[in-house]
Amino acid sequence: MELSASHVNLKPLNLKLFLVWPLLISIFVSHGVGFECPVATTSRFDCCPEQIKTQEICEKRGCCWNPVKDSRAPDCFYPTDYATYSTTEVDVTKYGYRAMLSRQTTTYYSKDIMQLQMDVLFETDSRLHFKIFDPANARFEVPIETPKFTTKSSSPAYDVRFGMKPFSFLVKRNLTQRVLFDTSASTFIFSDQFIEISTFLPSKYLYGLGEHLNPLLLDLNWNTKTLWSRDVGPKEDVNLYSSQPFYMVMEGDGNAHGVLLLNSNAMDVVLQPTPALTYRTIGGILDFYIFLGPSPTEVIQQYTDVIGRPFMPPYWSLGFHLCRYGYHSANKTFDVVEKMRAAKIPQDVQWNDIDSMDRFLDFTVDQQSFAELPTMIENLHQHGQHYVIMLDPAISSTQPKGTYAPFDDGLVDNVFVKNITGQLLRAKVWPGEAVFPDFTNPITHKWWLKQTAKFHEYIKFDGIWNDMNEPSNFGIGSLDGCPFNSTYENPPYLPAVLGGSLISKTICMTAQQNWSMHYNVHSLYGYTETIATHNALAQIRNKRPFVLSRSTFVGSGKYTAHWTGDILSTWKHMYYTVPAIINFNMFGIPMVGADICGFAGDATEQLCQRWQQLGAFYPFSRNHNDLNSKDQDPTVFSEAMQASTRKALLIRYSLLPYLYTLFHKANRHGYTVARPLFFEFPKDTTTYSIDRQFLWGEALMITPVLEENALSVDAYFPDDVWYDFYTGGKVKTGHVQLPAPMDVINLHVRGGYVIPMQNPALTTTASRTNKFALMVAMSSNLTANGALFWDDGDTIDTFEKNLIIAMKFKAENGTITSQVMHDGYPEATSMVLGSVQVLGVPSKPSTVTANGKPVQFTYNSNMVLNITDMSLPMNKEFSITWT
């Protein structure tokens, strides 16, 4: 039978639905259990996911064997009537439903859990939450903080249905009746170390499931995405630094939904052309959230409402950052800073890699080559610039007793990860033999704060870079070995992890941490470290923290920025950074970037020039490369390349008020900062696969050159009004080939929006003192709207303390007006509007006035009105009119 469990007709608590709702029950004829194998090739679900597949093994499992040539489809697949769970009862609860599931036969994996409980929670009108778990024995659940709710949704956008025998669970969108999640796609297995559940997808337009090196639109042609944090130079089709088990589907009609599986164990997510996907995870529980949107933007807002809104970055972190592994000394590092100043190329932040440390020991400085580091940092601060240090998690364990406080104090405080016998787990990383702090332990956070604060007394750093925090190990498991007879070290099912082992380049799975064994919390290591680092920085500096982390998990965006790791200096890897930036914005980590010009290998001048143009529009903009690569900061290249980089960065700096406002919207409301075109044009299916262009917010389109020797670029303009950022001229819609000289990155402004800007400078400290400007791009009906959020850029929780100014801008009927929404920023009187550029003014005005007084203006053939030489206080509402 199949039971419709529509919440609309709720019955009293604990009554059995299938007994009292006869009108909602549909009976179907069962054909019995057997080998029902006539399954379409694209609808096969793999019954033998291990690498070794034979007909004998397949049929012993009660599955169908039928190899297909020239197809990635599985040779061994489940019959349509494969034995699985039945739904034995469904109760109404205060917040939704509780179902009990039971199976009568075991599967081909050991330790089947024969009785399961499923809780279905109608948390909000647009958010459904359901969990499937063992009611008799506690299993690991990811302990991130999620919203508490006290009432059940009264008008949900979704309906749910239970299949009884066999069990299935279906979620559909009420408005369109489209099925969003349907586990009847295949069988359901829940054993101790192998959990498999499948769902049909409503369309082929699938995104997310990071971190991987791939296009934005995922390939459903029998493609496996493995999630397990791993230290590796990014390459295609392997698991990378982060585990982000969230996906979004565009349903093809403009609607979107998202799905989170809150599970930190190693997992495969198998995509197939049915369209469908299958989760295979090797631990924990099934803890699903479904977000109904219906717009892509609303999906991400609903998602970040659960996992936490992104942190508000300090304003200085939006400037340009420069780093490399291999400056070799403080003096050579400072030489680069001075060259950047002399070349008048904007730079806000200087970094050093591990070569600044004494023998790669955390919280130390090499006194031979970097003794002048404090002096350099003082100079940076005097020039309104900032400095970021690196802290890896591995702590040296071989220094003489009493000479290295991080290890000595850590022993006393008992903060390090232990092996299965309770001894320190020792591995080899940059400092040699090392141990790992257990950041799931609150005591470790206090120890980390103590060490960081003590180091800050000597090195006045402004931000911290957490690298190697997957956690990375140069060896396998431990210097003392791992108990390989344990099923946690060698699980019955091994996801397709790089290296063919869970402990490849990391520590033992049986290692003991406060939350659980490492088997369960491995992919949470970077997440927990960044919480400790974020909180330590906030306490030490009493200013907004800036943390950069290589490894991330669900919810990391609350605490850290991210970069895409050790990418290659190639055109292909430059392209891959665009979908990566977009994906991490969807994952709730909008402060994201990639190593401009690439990390590994020598960047050619042309590649670096084009990459500097693109990188000027990463939310986090940093040039960084490897020890064995040539210098690639802008000053080592030709005058033409330097001029191009200067031009792109000055445009970035002029747009920082707009970018900062976007980050405020992300922090308060869960918006993305960088986003794909389909977020703004969800009914235009042409945009669904575009990942060589992206948007800042709603209004600014970026179209970089991503091909060698290209002097033009193909762009797509959805149906709206678009203006060239440089000339203000209108651009036709559809597919357009744009000229792209070597000194230009194509930028376009969307009609209907007002972009706040500021006259740029070489640092954000200087630019923040300059006059503001507005770029007003008129829509087809000659209107435009925009907003500005502003504060001191550094104080913690300025919004909550009302230390902000926020204003709206509106253009209509030949008039631009401002409206001050909040006015608590102490320095608001220093904010002055100096100029306005209006795009799309159909005829030349005869007069222009600001607050009733005539002002200077020009008008050109591109229908651009430039209003200049103003000094309007922005904390006062103003009106600018042309007639």
Side-chain angles (χ1 to χ4, degrees), residues 20 22 36 68 79 114 133 181 185 213 278 408-409 592 610 680 785:
V20 299
E36 296 290 335
V68 178
M114 308 300 283
F133 56 95
F181 198 88
L213 199 69
T278 297
D408 294 338
D409 293 349
V592 57
R610 290 303 196 188
E680 294 301 314
N785 292 276

Side-chain angles (χ1 to χ4, degrees), residues 563-754:
W563 94 107
T564 63
D566 299 346
I567 55 175
L568 302 178
S569 295
T570 66
W571 292 90
K572 189 172 187 179
H573 274 214
M574 179 169 66
Y575 150 68
Y576 274 133
T577 68
V578 178
I581 298 308
I582 293 171
N583 268 319
F584 273 90
N585 270 264
M586 289 195 281
F587 298 149
I589 309 177
M591 189 62 168
V592 57
D595 286 345
I596 295 171
C597 303
F599 175 77
D602 294 331
T604 65
E605 176 164 326
Q606 183 189 156
L607 173 64
C608 201
Q609 183 166 347
R610 290 303 196 188
W611 211 325
Q612 279 286 169
Q613 291 169 351
L614 167 61
F617 295 92
Y618 292 154
F620 166 61
S621 182
R622 184 187 70 160
N623 180 316
H624 172 57
N625 69 327
D626 191 16
L627 176 68
N628 298 315
S629 303
K630 294 179 181 177
D631 288 342
Q632 63 183 34
D633 67 84
T635 67
V636 304
F637 295 106
S638 69
E639 289 293 335
M641 190 280 192
Q642 292 182 44
S644 169
T645 298
R646 183 184 307 113
K647 177 180 177 181
L649 287 173
L650 287 173
I651 292 172
R652 176 190 179 88
Y653 275 59
S654 72
L655 289 165
L656 287 184
Y658 175 62
L659 182 62
Y660 193 60
T661 301
L662 291 176
F663 271 104
H664 167 69
K665 291 180 177 180
N667 173 252
R668 299 305 305 176
H669 307 294
Y671 287 92
T672 54
V673 173
R675 64 190 65 163
L677 273 62
F678 71 76
F679 265 51
E680 294 301 314
F681 302 93
K683 292 190 176 181
D684 184 348
T685 56
T686 301
T687 65
Y688 289 9
S689 60
I690 291 176
D691 59 6
R692 290 173 174 266
Q693 298 170 265
F694 61 101
L695 297 165
W696 269 11
E698 301 122 316
L700 184 70
M701 181 188 290
I702 298 102
T703 307
V705 171
L706 302 171
E707 301 290 340
E708 190 172 13
N709 298 325
L711 294 175
S712 64
V713 62
D714 294 327
Y716 179 74
F717 292 91
D719 188 18
D720 209 331
V721 178
W722 295 94
Y723 299 93
D724 185 297
F725 176 86
Y726 302 98
T727 68
K730 284 188 179 179
V731 180
K732 68 179 182 178
T733 59
H735 293 280
V736 179
Q737 188 171 60
L738 301 169
M742 281 301 301
D743 65 339
V744 171
I745 180 171
N746 275 279
L747 305 172
H748 292 86
V749 183
R750 184 179 173 191
Y753 293 90
V754 179

Side-chain angles (χ1 to χ4, degrees), residues 18-228:
F18 56 87
L19 296 177
V20 299
W21 281 9
L23 293 179
L24 297 178
I25 298 173
S26 58
I27 305 294
F28 61 88
V29 177
S30 171
H31 296 286
V33 177
F35 282 67
E36 296 290 335
C37 291
V39 177
T41 302
T42 58
S43 297
R44 294 181 174 187
F45 290 83
D46 199 345
C47 181
C48 193
E50 303 89 345
Q51 293 182 355
I52 300 174
K53 305 173 190 284
T54 67
Q55 184 172 355
E56 180 182 2
I57 292 174
C58 179
E59 293 180 348
K60 188 175 180 180
R61 292 182 173 186
C63 292
C64 307
W65 178 263
N66 185 11
V68 178
K69 292 183 179 179
D70 303 321
S71 173
R72 299 182 189 174
D75 299 333
C76 178
F77 52 96
Y78 292 110
T80 57
D81 55 355
Y82 194 82
T84 184
Y85 289 89
S86 297
T87 310
T88 57
E89 56 183 272
V90 181
D91 297 341
V92 174
T93 66
K94 183 178 179 181
Y95 302 116
Y97 300 102
R98 173 164 294 165
M100 301 307 296
L101 315 181
S102 175
R103 70 178 306 135
Q104 302 303 312
T105 58
T106 58
T107 68
Y108 48 88
Y109 281 108
S110 61
K111 298 183 181 179
D112 286 289
I113 299 172
M114 308 300 283
Q115 309 292 327
L116 295 171
Q117 181 174 316
M118 180 178 185
D119 288 344
V120 181
L121 309 172
F122 291 60
E123 292 192 347
T124 72
D125 290 352
S126 56
R127 183 175 81 228
L128 177 69
H129 182 194
F130 62 94
K131 301 168 70 170
I132 305 177
F133 56 95
D134 180 355
N137 298 287
R139 296 173 61 83
F140 181 74
E141 299 185 35
V142 178
I144 72 169
E145 184 179 355
T146 54
K148 302 296 185 287
F149 61 99
T150 57
T151 59
K152 177 183 167 188
S153 166
S154 58
S155 302
Y158 47 84
D159 192 13
V160 303
R161 294 178 182 270
F162 291 92
M164 304 301 286
K165 189 175 183 180
F167 159 78
S168 65
F169 185 66
L170 177 149
V171 182
K172 68 178 180 179
R173 187 185 296 280
N174 282 334
L175 187 61
T176 62
Q177 295 297 296
R178 187 179 293 273
V179 174
L180 308 183
F181 198 88
D182 181 3
T183 69
S184 69
S186 186
T187 194
F188 172 37
I189 296 174
F190 199 126
S191 65
D192 184 42
Q193 289 183 264
F194 181 80
I195 306 172
E196 180 178 72
I197 194 167
S198 302
T199 178
F200 290 118
L201 297 171
S203 84
K204 63 182 179 180
Y205 303 114
L206 180 70
Y207 311 88
L209 299 173
E211 180 177 14
H212 300 97
L213 199 69
N214 52 230
L216 180 63
L217 180 62
L218 295 178
D219 178 11
L220 301 189
N221 187 25
W222 307 105
N223 184 15
T224 297
K225 295 298 177 187
T226 302
L227 277 62
W228 184 246

